[in-house]
Amino acid sequence: MKIKELNIKEKTVELVIEDKEDLYYLSLILDKGDVIYSWTWRQTRVDTGLGKVEKGERVKVYMGLLVEKVEFQRFTDRLRILGKVVEAPEYLHVKGRYHAISLQPVAEVKIVKKELHQLYLKLLDEATRRTYKNLLICLGDQEAVFGVLSRGGIEIVSTLLSRLSKNLKKRSYADEYREYLADVASEIKKFLHRERYDRVIVAAPRFLQELFRSYLAEKHKDLLKTAIFLHVEEGGMAGVYELVRRDELADLVKELRLDYEKRLIENIFTSLEKEDKRLAVGEKEVLQASRLGAVQKLIVTDIKFIELKEEEKISEILENVEKSRGEIVIVSSEHEHGIKLKSIGGVAAFLYFPVD
């Protein structure tokens, strides 16, 4: 994401959306009541003069919408924004009508915020900072799973079946594995040709890991130089789940903040077990604590955050937390620790002092 212009006083920001991760951040930043301007498509209507209006051609127009609803599914390449038209070419006669803008990379947008909270400035800063994009391959005897690691989480993009079990009686293990690993290396090359990745992370049981290292050293030395190898007990999807639970992955991709978020959630459950009074759990408790200026650190899942925005309940909480100089952390609902937080309402807060 690139910021073309930011005017804090006027609460306006002009952005260039460059990839799918930017759409995720934009879904967190947009509020009901904001106005967003972008290029979009609209179907014209033609008056036939016989008392009938027929559909005309679709035209590309620059339009402004008063935001009512934001729809985003992680790892899709579109963000759908529904609202009433506040600016459009006069010949369309659509002001006051509903329209949906569908954003995808690459796009330019201008946003006039109803409220420009410090959290939104922090999210914009995160979105514009340089981060690594990693290609993850989890090798197993039955399958090789390919995924992309980014700020938005882990996106599984393809699976390559090994076919090892079909011909093992007719051919040697070395030949069978060599053919399989050649297919894996070929698939990795295709990914690297289509898109730029900073790192290639290969996770596999030790036997497969050593076989693949040897194969790359012989056939693809350039790929071996960029690869990082991790040990997992099982390959395939089981290995992906194993990696998500381990601290090692968070160390490799610090920008994901998985480790930090995981420890926060663990501390929440530890405090719950100890019945610590300096912890508020759930929407009502957190809102009450924020009104008293007691919130030191607010932790909320991205899904709960968007839900509270749609219900117009988040603005007061954000204002109160910012006044008390508290920290706000939005965690991904896709990760295991995000799912744990969701199980207790999706929002919790560490407090400066106990609140009755």
Side-chain angles (χ1 to χ4, degrees):
M1 181 184 289
K2 291 181 181 176
I3 298 178
K4 291 182 67 178
E5 186 175 335
L6 174 62
N7 189 320
I8 295 176
K9 185 178 180 181
E10 298 294 329
K11 301 176 185 176
T12 63
V13 58
E14 294 184 37
L15 304 170
V16 179
I17 306 301
E18 298 178 300
D19 55 37
K20 290 183 286 187
E21 290 180 65
D22 294 342
L23 296 176
Y24 169 70
Y25 276 87
L26 190 56
S27 72
L28 297 177
I29 292 165
L30 278 175
D31 289 321
K32 182 178 180 180
D34 292 347
V35 178
I36 185 166
Y37 298 87
S38 182
W39 287 95
T40 183
W41 292 90
R42 181 79 185 193
Q43 194 157 38
T44 59
R45 293 181 178 273
V46 180
D47 189 345
T48 62
L50 301 174
K52 292 183 179 180
V53 177
E54 296 181 353
K55 292 181 178 180
E57 62 178 344
R58 281 168 57 84
V59 293
K60 190 175 183 180
V61 294
Y62 191 74
M63 191 177 287
L65 287 189
L66 180 64
V67 178
E68 290 203 6
K69 190 174 183 181
V70 179
E71 297 176 352
F72 177 70
Q73 292 182 343
R74 189 183 300 277
F75 300 125
T76 61
D77 61 355
R78 292 179 186 270
L79 176 66
R80 190 168 181 268
I81 303 155
L82 179 68
K84 285 186 178 179
V85 178
V86 294
E87 184 177 312
E90 289 296 331
Y91 71 88
L92 288 175
H93 305 292
V94 294
K95 285 187 180 179
R97 294 184 182 180
Y98 279 95
H99 181 74
I101 290 177
S102 183
L103 294 176
Q104 61 185 118
V106 172
E108 292 189 19
V109 298
K110 177 182 177 182
I111 304 166
V112 180
K113 293 289 299 172
K114 185 172 62 174
E115 296 294 338
L116 188 55
H117 297 290
Q118 287 297 316
L119 173 64
Y120 295 155
L121 296 175
K122 176 184 174 184
L123 290 172
L124 285 171
D125 181 58
E126 280 187 27
T128 54
R129 284 204 311 265
R130 175 77 171 91
T131 59
Y132 289 107
K133 194 170 187 179
N134 312 279
L135 179 64
L136 170 67
I137 304 95
C138 200
L139 280 174
D141 281 332
Q142 301 301 316
E143 62 182 6
V145 173
F146 292 78
V148 178
L149 267 63
S150 63
R151 281 179 305 228
I154 300 177
E155 176 188 11
I156 303 303
V157 290
S158 69
T159 300
L160 179 68
L161 298 179
S162 69
R163 298 179 296 173
L164 283 173
S165 60
K166 290 184 178 180
N167 300 308
L168 281 178
K169 293 181 180 179
K170 298 179 181 179
R171 303 169 64 185
S172 69
Y173 277 92
D175 289 340
E176 285 293 331
Y177 274 110
R178 190 175 183 82
E179 185 177 302
Y180 171 41
L181 296 178
D183 289 342
V184 172
S186 176
E187 194 70 14
I188 293 173
K189 290 279 190 177
K190 289 178 184 177
F191 274 101
L192 297 179
H193 178 72
R194 289 194 299 262
E195 202 165 344
R196 186 186 62 77
Y197 294 92
D198 295 278
R199 287 171 291 192
V200 175
I201 301 173
V202 180
R206 298 217 181 276
F207 171 66
L208 266 177
Q209 189 180 135
E210 292 308 314
L211 277 181
F212 196 45
R213 277 181 188 271
S214 298
Y215 177 79
L216 292 181
E218 180 186 345
K219 296 290 185 179
H220 301 283
K221 291 181 180 179
D222 57 331
L223 186 55
L224 182 61
K225 290 178 182 178
T226 64
I228 297 173
F229 286 84
L230 298 178
H231 169 70
V232 289
E233 295 298 328
E234 294 184 67
M237 276 306 302
V240 173
Y241 294 133
E242 181 184 338
L243 281 174
V244 170
R245 292 193 296 267
R246 279 172 24 192
D247 291 337
E248 188 175 3
L249 188 61
D251 291 337
L252 281 172
V253 285
K254 291 181 181 179
E255 69 279 3
L256 295 179
R257 301 201 309 167
L258 289 178
D259 186 59
Y260 176 63
E261 293 175 4
K262 178 182 175 183
R263 292 179 193 279
L264 280 179
I265 307 305
E266 287 175 349
N267 289 340
I268 288 171
F269 280 85
T270 299
S271 297
L272 272 174
E273 290 175 4
K274 294 179 178 178
E275 297 183 350
D276 191 337
K277 298 296 183 182
R278 291 181 300 173
L279 177 72
V281 175
E283 184 183 322
K284 290 183 180 179
E285 285 190 20
V286 169
L287 176 59
Q288 181 187 0
S290 75
R291 285 172 174 169
L292 296 172
V295 175
Q296 181 181 35
K297 194 184 298 286
L298 172 70
I299 306 99
V300 58
T301 67
D302 47 14
I303 289 177
K304 184 65 176 179
F305 183 77
I306 292 171
E307 177 188 313
L308 290 171
K309 286 206 298 181
E310 290 175 350
E311 297 171 358
E312 299 186 50
K313 295 179 179 179
I314 196 65
S315 187
E316 181 185 355
I317 295 175
L318 294 182
E319 288 175 5
N320 293 336
V321 174
E322 287 172 6
K323 284 178 183 177
S324 64
R325 297 188 178 182
E327 181 185 354
I328 302 164
V329 180
I330 300 176
V331 302
S332 170
S333 301
E334 298 294 314
H335 299 309
E336 186 177 18
H337 50 269
I339 295 171
K340 286 183 69 176
L341 181 57
K342 183 181 177 182
S343 71
I344 56 172
V347 60
F350 293 106
L351 310 180
Y352 291 115
F353 50 84
V355 174
D356 294 328

